[in-house]
Amino acid sequence: MITVAVTAVVLIYLGLRGILPLRVSVPCKLALFALAGLILSKTIIGHFLYNSWTPEFPLPIHATWSLLQCALLALALLGAITDVFRLLRRLLRRKAPAAARPGLPPVLLLISLLLAALGTHAALRVPPVTPVEIVVPGLPAAWDGLTVAQLSDVHASKTFPGNWLAGVVDAVNAARPDLIVITGDLFDGTPRQRFDDLRPLRRLRAPLGVYACPGNHEYYSGLTAWRPRFSSLGILLLENDHVLLRRNGAELILAGLSDDVAERFDLPRPDIRQALGSAEASLPLILMAHRPHLVEQLKQLSRPGAALQLSGHTHGGQVFGLDLLVRRVNKGYLRGLYELGPVRLYISTGTALWSGFPLRLGVPSEIPLITLRSPHARQQSQD
């Protein structure tokens, strides 16, 4: 298990470089080591207590515990970088590596606490509505100016409870979008655990409606039990299915895909051909797909109509530097707008994130308010 391995490596490093060199008694060192182990094992302890990788601790406890956990992780990372830099400097000077200096510099602990505090605050806030304009090739003029509010990776939980979600709903409604889409990972937990936290979603308002596709966490949380709850929240869940939206006498396809993880639960894998069915290929399409790489299915269709995919899942990388790894495991996709021939892909950095690691540094959360633009209509306005 990756979580256990990372916890063990970080704890061993902090023990050898941070605790062992301290000029305190052995019992004090053992106590500090045990405390560090307790802090770093938050997710593991949560899994043991609640049989879930999503911590169910009360928010004040979880927020404080997460802040300390992130501070220790940052301290280990900064300490390792410092040690490597010192070693490289000695090697470049062609000198024998000196013995490691006793302990980690105290300033690293202060920096780590500051970064953890800033990152935790950035993760737990209600994100702002972010205007995004996307020119979609082939978009009919009748759909020019359509506004779409995108929620993604909400991860409703003890960390992101109903009162936090109410703030998100207020922000979305204040933007007055034409359409609201939720591109997966809406909740973490069973209906018994989470349904009350999701009640604010009933207040979402958009003339063309509120729609969602599942993400991997919907399956982890028991999608079969959740399906009938979506309609009571005023949300239409689209799993390899579509609806036709109408505006100014014109039609647009809104489709949603299932998630790659569905197969593990004996449920249908993402299938864009099934999702579109017999829908007219010349109609413009907005595709909800939690994972960005599913755009490859859309590209293979070679359909003549305008096409835009809205995705999430990556959290935008969440922490500057970590995004290099996140991009790699998501087949090159990370955040923002991608122009893929005639297809457009927008990846939200997420409304929230998985509460097991509630930290954001350099990658803010967002509620994109996407305005679709027709190239023809835009050219006319410029002329």
Side-chain angles (χ1 to χ4, degrees):
M1 177 61 66
I2 295 177
T3 302
V4 176
V6 171
T7 300
V9 170
V10 172
L11 182 59
I12 291 171
Y13 175 81
L14 290 178
L16 293 175
R17 293 288 292 119
I19 298 175
L20 189 61
L22 293 176
R23 295 180 179 178
V24 296
S25 65
V26 172
C28 187
K29 290 179 182 180
L30 292 175
L32 288 173
F33 188 79
L35 179 60
L38 176 67
I39 292 172
L40 289 169
S41 301
K42 179 202 66 173
T43 307
I44 299 171
I45 294 171
H47 179 67
F48 177 77
L49 292 177
Y50 301 105
N51 193 31
S52 170
W53 288 110
T54 298
E56 292 291 323
F57 306 112
L59 180 56
I61 294 175
H62 186 228
T64 303
W65 201 342
S66 294
L67 187 151
L68 295 174
Q69 181 189 41
C70 292
L72 289 186
L73 291 171
L75 177 61
L77 178 61
L78 293 175
I81 292 173
T82 302
D83 287 344
V84 170
F85 178 76
R86 287 172 176 169
L87 177 61
L88 289 176
R89 186 173 60 180
R90 297 286 301 185
L91 292 175
L92 289 174
R93 292 178 178 179
R94 297 183 179 180
K95 296 180 180 180
R101 295 182 183 180
L104 296 173
V107 68
L108 291 186
L109 178 59
L110 295 177
I111 294 173
S112 299
L113 286 169
L114 177 60
L115 289 176
L118 292 174
T120 301
H121 176 267
L124 298 182
R125 69 171 184 162
V126 173
V129 173
T130 307
V132 177
E133 186 172 286
I134 301 178
V135 179
V136 183
L139 184 72
W143 292 100
D144 181 74
L146 177 76
T147 54
V148 183
Q150 181 187 5
L151 299 179
S152 191
D153 302 277
V154 172
H155 289 281
S157 59
K158 288 283 190 180
T159 308
F160 300 101
N163 59 349
W164 175 88
L165 189 54
V168 171
V169 170
D170 290 341
V172 172
N173 285 342
R176 304 181 66 180
D178 298 313
L179 171 67
I180 299 172
V181 299
I182 304 171
T183 51
D185 283 7
L186 177 57
F187 45 76
D188 282 312
T190 65
R192 182 181 60 82
Q193 293 172 310
R194 291 283 89 83
F195 187 74
D196 284 345
D197 289 320
L198 294 178
R199 291 185 189 277
L201 294 175
R202 292 173 173 172
R203 295 193 290 106
L204 285 173
R205 295 291 181 267
L208 293 177
V210 183
Y211 303 86
C213 72
N216 50 310
H217 282 247
E218 274 79 8
Y219 293 90
Y220 302 151
S221 301
L223 181 58
T224 301
W226 270 105
R227 283 196 187 103
R229 304 300 184 102
F230 277 88
S231 59
S232 65
L233 295 171
I235 302 170
L236 180 59
L237 179 66
L238 297 176
E239 303 174 74
N240 293 336
D241 202 357
H242 75 274
V243 294
L244 291 178
L245 305 181
R246 293 175 176 81
R247 181 192 191 214
N248 299 329
E251 290 186 325
L252 177 147
I253 304 168
L254 175 66
L257 296 182
S258 62
D259 187 77
D260 286 346
V261 79
E263 190 174 33
R264 287 169 49 184
F265 298 87
D266 296 322
L267 294 171
R269 287 179 51 80
D271 187 335
I272 193 168
R273 296 185 185 279
Q274 178 184 342
L276 297 180
S278 59
E280 176 57 51
S282 63
L283 292 177
L285 165 68
I286 296 177
L287 176 66
M288 298 182 295
H290 182 61
R291 298 185 194 243
H293 76 84
L294 293 173
V295 74
E296 300 302 323
Q297 289 194 21
L298 179 57
K299 289 166 59 179
Q300 291 173 6
L301 289 182
S302 301
R303 61 191 309 277
L308 166 67
Q309 177 173 313
L310 301 177
S311 297
H313 185 62
T314 67
H315 301 174
Q318 205 165 312
V319 176
F320 180 76
L322 183 63
D323 51 5
L324 298 175
L325 174 62
V326 175
R327 187 193 301 273
R328 183 169 183 177
V329 299
N330 284 279
K331 302 185 179 180
Y333 299 111
L334 184 64
R335 59 178 176 259
L337 181 64
Y338 291 78
E339 298 181 355
L340 307 170
V343 174
R344 295 294 177 265
L345 165 65
Y346 186 82
I347 308 170
S348 170
T349 60
T351 313
L353 39 73
W354 175 59
S355 61
F357 186 55
L359 182 79
R360 282 188 180 273
L361 285 171
V363 186
S365 52
E366 65 173 354
I367 302 173
L369 181 66
I370 300 166
T371 301
L372 303 191
R373 291 300 181 191
S374 163
H376 179 67
R378 188 178 191 185
Q379 183 62 43
Q380 284 184 331
S381 65
Q382 292 175 345
D383 294 343

